[in-house]
Amino acid sequence: MVGPSTKNREWHIAGAKMTSKKRDLTRKAAIRYLTPSCLALVLLLAPFPTKAQYKGDDIPGFLGLENGTQPPPGLYLGSLAWVYPTDTVKDNNGNSIKLPGSLTSTAEIILVNLVTNYKLFGANIGASAGFPFIKNRIQTDSLDLSTSFAYTDMFLGVNLGWHFKRADVMAGYNLYIPTGTFSPGGNDNTGLGMWGNEFTIGSTVYLDQKKLWNAAGTFALEFNTDKSGTNIQVGDLGTVSWGLGRTFYKNVSGPIPLIMNLGAAGYAQFKVTGDSGSDIPPALRGFKDRVFALGPEFNIYVPKPRLTFLVRYEPEFGARVRTQGQTVVVSVAWVAKSLVKQQP
């Protein structure tokens, strides 16, 4: 838990020397007068706002280059490793709060993605599911965590994908299901104890006729129920993911070339509304956290085994009332079954 350390306090009384009786009476009167004010100051000035900022289900950093593009029709299976080391918590003014030690949160997610040839409003209909395992899932902005690698909250999603001459557009909905363990106030929770609803809209724009240069952005808005067993509701959460990259092709045996993408990717995550609920102290309500990240990404599609390999590194900056660390993502995806219709 983040809070003020306990320190010995000395009383300094100016003036002439008093008798022990008078000194005791003065001390008692001062305590009666100062205690309510001191307690109020502790609540308002101590770094408690960091505890008020509860995490949402959307862990930033999972999207990068061409994030507004739905893949071609097919069944895709993947595995994604996410690593987040941090030793820093920022207050509402951007100052670092001194905390002992550090924390590394790690996750392994099994991904299933299906893109069909069925159309709705001219878009391909797709669906996805994530089965995640995590160690040291950050619940608030405290580094006081110690959990083993265990199953956490899974998600299911549906999406629509449009493909135009110089741009792709993708819209979707994700449901986060509280399948991880959760107990109020525990420091060994693997889940967040709440249902999450997230709506997304994104686009990839191709900056030249050959579609070698691409710029992409996706906005996600998350709404949550109360955390189980509490009257705490995590504020609405906005996440923006972006990428700017260059595509390279290399001919190999077969009709499909080797495809490589190199560029910069980043994200911004912020509370649209503050955390609320009667279990949050009144002095701590209304704070809105934020963080930014930017770094390189490289991915490559190898056609013969039909595998895509990806690595992304995004150091964070500009955090407020939340942790600030580094996001590392490594993933592999396999085209288990192509559903692309062959042209006659």
Side-chain angles (χ1 to χ4, degrees):
M1 304 291 283
V2 180
S5 60
T6 303
K7 297 180 180 179
N8 294 323
R9 292 177 173 83
E10 297 180 352
W11 289 79
H12 301 277
I13 302 175
K17 184 177 180 181
M18 299 181 297
T19 65
S20 60
K21 183 177 180 180
K22 289 182 178 180
R23 187 163 52 247
D24 291 341
L25 290 174
T26 304
R27 182 188 294 264
K28 291 178 181 178
I31 289 175
R32 286 197 299 269
Y33 176 77
L34 290 175
T35 297
S37 300
C38 288
L39 289 176
L41 286 173
V42 167
L43 288 175
L44 291 173
L45 300 180
F48 276 136
T50 60
K51 293 197 293 186
Q53 292 299 290
Y54 293 89
K55 297 294 186 182
D57 280 295
D58 189 324
I59 300 176
F62 286 166
L63 299 180
L65 300 178
E66 296 184 287
N67 57 65
T69 297
Q70 184 189 65
L75 175 63
Y76 302 83
L77 303 177
S79 177
L80 182 147
W82 171 85
V83 182
Y84 181 79
T86 180
D87 60 1
T88 303
V89 174
K90 296 287 188 176
D91 65 14
N92 198 43
N93 296 316
N95 300 314
S96 297
I97 299 172
K98 294 182 180 179
L99 296 173
S102 61
L103 176 72
T104 298
S105 185
T106 57
E108 175 69 27
I109 305 175
I110 300 171
L111 299 168
V112 180
N113 189 23
L114 174 66
V115 180
T116 73
N117 287 297
Y118 296 102
K119 301 281 187 176
L120 180 64
F121 307 123
N124 290 79
I125 300 174
S128 60
F131 306 94
F133 298 81
I134 199 166
K135 180 179 181 181
N136 294 334
R137 177 149 199 178
I138 300 175
Q139 306 282 320
T140 64
D141 295 320
S142 169
L143 305 184
D144 182 21
L145 292 176
S146 179
T147 62
S148 59
F149 207 66
Y151 197 62
T152 185
D153 300 340
M154 65 175 292
F155 69 86
L156 302 173
V158 293
N159 55 76
L160 299 174
W162 293 265
H163 303 280
F164 304 102
K165 186 175 181 180
R166 293 281 293 272
D168 299 323
V169 177
M170 193 171 166
Y173 165 76
N174 296 317
L175 173 66
Y176 295 96
I177 306 171
T179 49
T181 60
F182 177 83
S183 61
N187 69 344
D188 58 349
N189 293 324
T190 62
L192 300 183
M194 62 188 186
W195 292 78
N197 298 279
E198 184 178 57
F199 299 89
T200 66
I201 182 71
S203 178
T204 299
V205 177
Y206 300 98
L207 306 178
D208 62 317
Q209 291 186 349
K210 294 183 178 181
K211 294 186 176 183
L212 297 179
W213 287 94
N214 57 80
T218 293
F219 174 67
L221 185 59
E222 177 186 335
F223 307 90
N224 301 287
T225 64
D226 285 357
K227 295 173 81 68
S228 178
T230 73
N231 190 359
I232 296 173
Q233 186 173 49
V234 177
D236 301 337
L237 191 69
T239 305
V240 179
S241 305
W242 64 80
L244 175 64
R246 169 67 153 84
T247 302
F248 301 87
Y249 298 93
K250 182 179 180 181
N251 291 325
V252 293
S253 59
I256 302 176
L258 194 75
I259 305 173
M260 294 172 286
N261 266 306
L262 177 64
Y267 58 80
Q269 189 171 74
F270 51 90
K271 290 283 180 63
V272 178
T273 61
D275 301 334
S276 61
S278 60
D279 288 341
I280 300 177
L284 305 181
R285 297 172 190 166
F287 288 94
K288 299 176 184 178
D289 68 12
R290 75 178 196 205
V291 72
F292 303 93
L294 180 64
E297 175 183 326
F298 174 75
N299 63 71
I300 181 171
Y301 173 71
V302 184
K304 192 168 184 180
R306 297 187 296 188
L307 290 174
T308 297
F309 300 94
L310 177 147
V311 60
R312 184 184 305 123
Y313 170 66
E314 295 167 307
E316 293 182 332
F317 61 93
R320 296 291 185 273
V321 276
R322 65 175 290 155
T323 58
Q324 181 172 292
Q326 304 172 73
T327 294
V328 180
V329 173
V330 179
S331 71
V332 58
W334 175 50
V335 185
K337 177 69 175 179
S338 175
L339 300 178
V340 176
K341 293 182 178 179
Q342 299 297 324
Q343 297 294 331

